[in-house]
Amino acid sequence: MPEEYIKVVQDPQTKIWKSVNYPYGDIAKLSIGEKFLQTMRSVDPNKIIDHFYDTNTIKTAKDVYEESILIAVNLKRLGVKKGDSVIFYAMNNEWVAVLSMGCFLIGASPIYFEVHLDEDSTSDLFDLLEASAIFYEETYLKKIQKCLANSKLQKHPHLIAINGEQQPNITSDLLKQPEQPIDFDSFKSAEIKDTREETALLALTSGSTGLPKVVQITHALMLNGITIWWDNEDHYAPLDENSVVLSFSPLRWISQVAVMLQSVLYGVKRVSSCGVASGNYGFEVLRSCGITHLFAVPSIYYDILLQVDENDKESLKCLRSVLMGGEPASKVMLELSKKHAVNAKNFHCYGMTEVSTVICNDLHINGGKPLPGYELQILDDQLKPLGANEPGQIAVRPPYPMKGYKSLDNSIYYNEYGLFINGDYGFIDEQGKLHILGRYKDLIRSNAEVIVPNTLEYIVINLPEVYVARIAGYRKTPNDPNEVAAFFVVLNSNVTASHEEMSAKIWDTIKPHLNERQLAMIEKIHFVDTMPLTTCGKADRVALRKLAEC
């Protein structure tokens, strides 16, 4: 490992910042299936790899290894082949890991579906994916059948039940012993000729502004993602044999896919659950299962911390690394974590589905130095490169090629330097640290003034009375080019101050950070009981905008 693990330099002509030390070149040589076989054949077969919390189901390395190979053999028997897509229409469950590995072993591409999509969107995605099989949970069967009936598919996929009494199902068809016994030790994964170019899995974007796009993630890019997931500027942080990672529902988040693959490709224990690991449920999972590595949206982790007794420093002492992404973490939440998770380091992480992983992890800011192999560039409104400390659109290039979105013209997402313009907004300081300010499309503009929502939100959520705060811009009339804004605030349950008192406190808090014209753009502070969320757990700004217009 280089002495300076994350060294970032800038090209003065292109203004591209690059993290120059990349110690993981060997990962591009293996496919996910080959890496799985290599790991499982070297791990103690009795080691617990998967623990499904809700049913206390435990799978050892031997269980995962043999079930995955058996599923691979039977998928081929059913006609699923290399290059096919396979839909997981389910939440997290005890079969996801071995079903996924069965797909990877034969070169099929799993995609973890968004079960809450409306029927028309589901039918459209079915048409796009042309899957050869759908693994489903019983509760979703009628919706799947209806959407397939409304699709344009000439050939419907195999429907294979994960639970319930339906036929065919995992037990009847995918764990069926073949006539000739399987020689597990000599089983080979499907040949992947170019791990940098061949698709390993498909992933859905958040879909916060429309139908989710389908991202094609290669073997090399995914393996890079799970390898650097926990790394940061302060120390190289690989998982070890004593690590215990947590993966909760919904699995369709790329973060949870990465955690699942870390378990089976590194041979570490994973605890998974069907419920969203927040509140008392999440606290019990962390406390009782000895979780060492946690990735969560800050609001979910905050819900967990609120369950801990005032002086309790024991329940969460197992935690070592906490990565929080999707939105900035408040100072209040970070202080609670330091108080109760006394052995943990709390990192702000920034990443995106399209590159399969985090791009930065940092102890102090929402962003940080780009992890090994990444290149970053900041662009103005005309897509021209900007210098240090100049905010603009973020463009990124990972260490391995991106295949982009399935069945779309991907050229429109790249600039002249070949970097992917990802829709986020921020700046890079003179030390090469990326500072995330928000989504470019969420900027609130009026005449020459611009309000960056995330900056103001972070200021307000650091008030001890505030649980969460979001600001949305909107136009009073459709033809008005200028926007006004409204704040939406959820208060903590123990707040005794009136809404009028809290409004005054919020105005006093944000005034020093805005000029008079910007301040005049904010028309109202609304106090609400809950914040509308996307299916990925982020604030639904489209819904907030509609709410503000009303």
Side-chain angles (χ1 to χ4, degrees):
M1 197 57 54
E3 184 177 336
E4 188 178 0
Y5 175 53
I6 298 181
K7 181 179 180 181
V8 179
V9 299
Q10 186 191 36
D11 184 316
Q13 290 186 320
T14 63
K15 298 183 180 178
I16 293 174
W17 295 85
K18 183 173 182 179
S19 183
V20 294
N21 291 326
Y22 188 75
Y24 302 120
D26 287 346
I27 66 171
K29 297 177 182 178
L30 294 176
S31 68
I32 291 177
E34 289 169 329
K35 174 64 175 171
F36 168 73
L37 294 176
Q38 183 186 82
T39 298
M40 288 295 108
R41 286 166 180 168
S42 62
V43 172
D44 178 353
N46 296 313
K47 180 174 183 178
I48 296 174
I49 295 295
D50 218 348
H51 174 197
F52 190 66
Y53 177 81
D54 296 341
T55 59
N56 201 30
T57 301
I58 288 173
K59 291 182 185 287
T60 64
K62 183 176 186 292
D63 296 330
V64 172
Y65 174 63
E66 294 187 353
E67 286 178 0
S68 298
I69 292 175
L70 191 55
I71 287 168
V73 169
N74 281 308
L75 282 174
K76 288 184 75 173
R77 177 182 56 81
L78 291 174
V80 181
K81 60 187 183 301
K82 180 183 175 183
D84 286 357
S85 61
V86 175
I87 292 172
F88 285 67
Y89 207 99
M91 302 301 274
N92 212 339
N93 61 71
E94 63 197 72
W95 293 106
V96 164
V98 291
L99 287 169
S100 298
M101 293 318 305
C103 292
F104 290 126
L105 288 171
I106 63 172
S109 300
I111 178 167
Y112 308 94
F113 214 83
E114 175 50 75
V115 299
H116 298 300
L117 278 179
D118 62 81
E119 291 178 1
D120 288 341
S121 298
T122 299
S123 296
D124 289 343
L125 281 175
F126 282 172
D127 288 338
L128 174 65
L129 294 166
E130 296 182 311
S132 60
I134 298 178
F135 301 133
Y136 69 92
E137 290 176 349
E138 182 177 18
T139 187
Y140 305 118
L141 179 58
K142 289 184 179 179
K143 182 178 178 181
I144 292 169
Q145 291 173 328
K146 185 175 181 180
C147 292
L148 285 174
N150 293 333
S151 73
K152 300 173 184 176
L153 293 171
Q154 298 299 310
K155 181 181 179 182
H156 283 186
H158 295 285
L159 296 181
I160 302 172
I162 291 175
N163 62 350
E165 301 297 322
Q166 299 82 13
Q167 297 282 338
N169 57 45
I170 290 175
T171 304
S172 67
D173 277 57
L174 295 186
L175 295 178
K176 182 179 181 179
Q177 291 291 337
E179 293 181 5
Q180 294 294 325
I182 298 173
D183 183 351
F184 292 101
D185 291 336
S186 63
F187 182 86
K188 292 184 179 180
S189 180
E191 182 185 7
I192 304 298
K193 293 181 179 179
D194 189 344
T195 60
R196 298 166 183 255
E197 292 294 333
E198 293 195 42
T199 301
L201 72 151
L202 303 169
L204 293 176
T205 59
S206 62
S208 57
T209 58
L211 185 67
K213 294 187 282 291
V214 177
V215 182
Q216 303 169 107
I217 301 177
T218 66
H219 290 264
L221 202 56
M222 193 69 227
L223 284 166
N224 171 75
I226 66 171
T227 302
I228 69 174
W229 190 267
W230 303 99
D231 292 358
N232 55 81
E233 183 186 12
D234 293 81
H235 65 286
Y236 165 62
L239 298 168
D240 61 35
E241 61 182 10
N242 298 315
S243 301
V244 182
V245 296
L246 173 65
S247 175
F248 55 83
S249 186
L251 192 69
R252 79 95 146 172
W253 298 358
I254 193 66
S255 60
Q256 303 313 315
V257 178
V259 169
M260 177 191 71
L261 290 178
Q262 284 164 356
S263 171
V264 293
L265 300 187
Y266 285 152
V268 302
K269 182 179 178 180
R270 175 180 72 122
V271 178
S272 57
S273 67
C274 191
V276 175
S278 63
N280 193 59
Y281 174 83
F283 172 61
E284 285 302 315
V285 175
L286 293 181
R287 183 192 64 80
S288 62
C289 297
I291 306 300
T292 63
H293 289 69
L294 169 68
F295 174 90
V297 175
S299 58
I300 289 176
Y301 186 43
Y302 186 43
D303 275 346
I304 292 173
L305 292 170
L306 291 175
Q307 313 305 313
V308 188
D309 290 339
E310 178 71 19
N311 297 313
D312 185 352
K313 296 183 179 181
E314 290 292 313
S315 296
L316 300 181
K317 68 178 182 180
C318 54
L319 280 172
R320 295 293 184 272
S321 288
V322 178
L323 259 60
M324 292 163 287
E327 59 193 27
S330 69
K331 291 178 183 177
V332 173
M333 195 221 69
L334 292 171
E335 288 303 316
L336 266 183
S337 184
K338 290 175 184 176
K339 180 178 180 178
H340 297 302
V342 293
N343 296 315
K345 288 191 173 183
N346 301 287
F347 293 95
H348 308 264
C349 78
Y350 168 67
M352 51 188 287
T353 302
E354 287 83 348
V355 300
S356 83
T357 183
V358 293
I359 297 168
C360 317
N361 289 324
D362 194 273
L363 278 170
H364 308 292
I365 63 172
N366 187 24
K369 285 188 176 181
L371 291 173
Y374 277 100
E375 296 174 78
L376 294 175
Q377 195 178 38
I378 305 298
L379 309 169
D380 65 15
D381 290 345
Q382 287 72 45
L383 304 183
K384 299 302 180 184
L386 294 170
N389 298 309
E390 295 183 296
Q393 300 180 73
I394 298 171
V396 61
R397 179 160 51 207
Y400 298 105
M402 298 169 63
K403 287 200 71 175
Y405 306 119
K406 185 177 176 65
S407 299
L408 291 180
D409 176 10
N410 284 277
S411 63
I412 61 174
Y413 298 101
Y414 292 86
N415 70 359
E416 60 181 307
Y417 299 96
L419 276 72
F420 182 84
I421 305 169
N422 69 7
D424 289 328
Y425 183 78
F427 67 92
I428 298 175
D429 64 25
E430 60 280 347
Q431 295 178 314
K433 285 193 172 187
L434 176 66
H435 297 250
I436 308 302
L437 299 178
R439 292 289 288 171
Y440 183 67
K441 62 180 175 57
D442 292 334
L443 300 180
I444 303 167
R445 302 174 186 268
S446 179
N447 295 314
E449 298 295 338
V450 176
I451 291 178
V452 181
N454 300 58
T455 304
L456 281 188
E457 291 165 358
Y458 187 68
I459 293 166
V460 174
I461 65 173
N462 282 320
L463 293 173
E465 299 92 344
V466 174
Y467 176 69
V468 66
R470 294 290 179 264
I471 186 170
Y474 64 100
R475 292 180 173 87
K476 287 187 173 182
T477 60
N479 297 323
D480 190 345
N482 298 314
E483 293 180 300
V484 293
F487 246 117
F488 293 87
V489 178
V490 180
L491 298 175
N492 285 316
S493 58
N494 60 351
V495 174
T496 57
S498 68
H499 287 175
E500 289 76 14
E501 291 170 323
M502 284 307 305
S503 288
K505 186 170 185 177
I506 291 170
W507 282 118
D508 288 342
T509 302
I510 63 176
K511 278 180 182 178
H513 303 276
L514 300 171
N515 62 41
E516 289 185 7
R517 293 183 298 276
Q518 290 171 326
L519 201 59
M521 291 166 62
I522 304 174
E523 292 211 326
K524 184 75 175 176
I525 297 175
H526 300 283
F527 293 94
V528 293
D529 294 329
T530 58
M531 198 67 65
L533 302 175
T534 68
T535 55
C536 280
K538 298 179 183 180
D540 188 338
R541 294 189 186 271
V542 174
L544 284 177
R545 198 172 296 121
K546 291 178 180 177
L547 211 59
E549 289 170 350
C550 296

